[in-house]
Amino acid sequence: MAGAWRNRTGDGPRRRNYLKAHHAAWAVFHPDWIPEPLDPSVEWLKRVRVAAGTVAAAGVYTFVEGGFAFEEMAQNLLIASAVLLFITPLTVGVMLWRWRRDGSLRPLRPALLRALGLLLTFVASVVVTALLLQNGTALGGGLLIIPLGFVTLWLVWFVGAGALRITGNFFGTAAVHRCLPPLLAIVTTWLMALPDLFTGDLHGLGLRLGIVFILGAPVTVTAIALFEMARLKRDHGIRLTDHPSRSRYNNPYT
């Protein structure tokens, strides 16, 4: 199962195999209506942070927990999806309330609906993946255990590749305002980290290493996000509090 597509560098058509999870994730979570980043160096920093965070998390779940902790990973996926589902629209709503003082919000509606669609799609895929990880053995009795195992592995790779895409574009909210993705990244990472910090769930790492592990993600995400917003302000005159219509780089698909 493959589809033709044209890459954004203009090198010509390529083939995308949707049986490969990362190809499907790219098609679903990075569609053509999402604008390209204005600063490639920031995108490189995001990828480095995601890669480092993935290695650190895999190490904790595998070695510290004494074997890969599928149950804990599935639980964390569900918590993360719940945070995204409620906090993302709330944060965007606060910014819309701020922007309505300076201009109409009607032109932003198409991009907002597309972004909401991506959010719901990602959350649904996370929930399905987590449920399969938690209940795969019970559901896959007999001969079904092999195909169900392949489906689960495909979904895990799909969600992981999709998470890498949304880390950069944050559900395409850059099509609404270029400063929305870094703002949403800051809010969601802190909200996902603080419960572990307050409850003392340090994943068996001890006090110092546990705090470093928990705070590593929000601190680095915040630093990169603030750097991104500073570059947007300096190089393109884009400010978070300004209505999207004030910059030609914002909302290009309405």
Side-chain angles (χ1 to χ4, degrees):
M1 183 184 299
W5 63 289
R6 183 173 296 274
N7 66 351
R8 297 189 181 187
T9 60
D11 295 333
R14 296 182 180 179
R15 301 294 293 177
R16 175 178 285 161
N17 185 353
Y18 293 105
L19 293 178
K20 296 180 178 180
H22 60 288
H23 286 198
W26 181 279
V28 172
F29 297 115
H30 201 85
D32 290 337
W33 57 266
I34 296 178
E36 288 294 332
L38 296 176
D39 194 335
S41 63
V42 173
E43 299 306 305
W44 180 81
L45 287 174
K46 292 178 183 178
R47 293 189 183 97
V48 171
R49 191 211 65 80
V50 170
T54 301
V55 171
V60 170
Y61 288 132
T62 303
F63 299 107
V64 178
E65 299 287 347
F68 198 84
F70 282 104
E71 291 292 329
E72 184 172 352
M73 187 184 74
Q75 183 180 5
N76 288 341
L77 284 174
L78 290 175
I79 294 173
S81 64
V83 171
L84 288 172
L85 185 60
F86 291 104
I87 297 303
T88 301
L90 179 62
T91 305
V92 174
V94 171
M95 293 312 304
L96 291 175
W97 177 80
R98 172 62 182 83
W99 294 330
R100 71 185 180 91
R101 302 177 181 178
D102 302 322
S104 174
L105 301 179
R106 185 178 297 273
L108 307 180
R109 187 176 301 172
L112 287 169
L113 292 177
R114 292 188 186 111
L116 178 61
L118 281 187
L119 171 63
L120 295 176
T121 301
F122 183 75
V123 169
S125 64
V126 168
V127 170
V128 171
T129 302
L131 292 177
L132 285 176
L133 286 172
Q134 290 178 324
N135 306 291
T137 303
L139 294 174
L143 295 177
L144 289 178
I145 191 169
I146 295 178
L148 191 62
F150 280 116
V151 170
T152 303
L153 289 175
W154 189 93
L155 281 172
V156 169
W157 188 251
F158 175 79
V159 169
L164 182 61
R165 299 290 164 242
I166 67 167
T167 298
N169 62 55
F170 225 98
F171 309 109
T173 49
V176 180
H177 194 295
R178 291 285 184 170
C179 287
L180 271 182
L183 172 66
L184 290 168
I186 292 173
V187 173
T188 54
T189 52
W190 277 105
L191 285 176
M192 284 189 281
L194 289 179
D196 283 347
L197 192 63
F198 290 148
T199 59
D201 184 7
L202 304 179
H203 305 279
L205 292 171
L207 181 60
R208 292 184 180 179
L209 282 179
I211 291 176
V212 170
F213 177 75
I214 292 172
L215 294 182
V219 169
T220 54
V221 166
T222 300
I224 294 173
L226 292 177
F227 174 70
E228 180 179 5
M229 287 193 280
R231 293 286 288 265
L232 289 172
K233 180 180 178 181
R234 187 194 69 184
D235 298 338
H236 306 286
I238 300 175
R239 295 173 175 82
L240 176 62
T241 55
D242 289 345
H243 191 278
S245 62
R246 292 191 178 184
S247 172
R248 64 185 179 90
Y249 296 105
N250 282 322
N251 202 28
Y253 290 98
T254 56

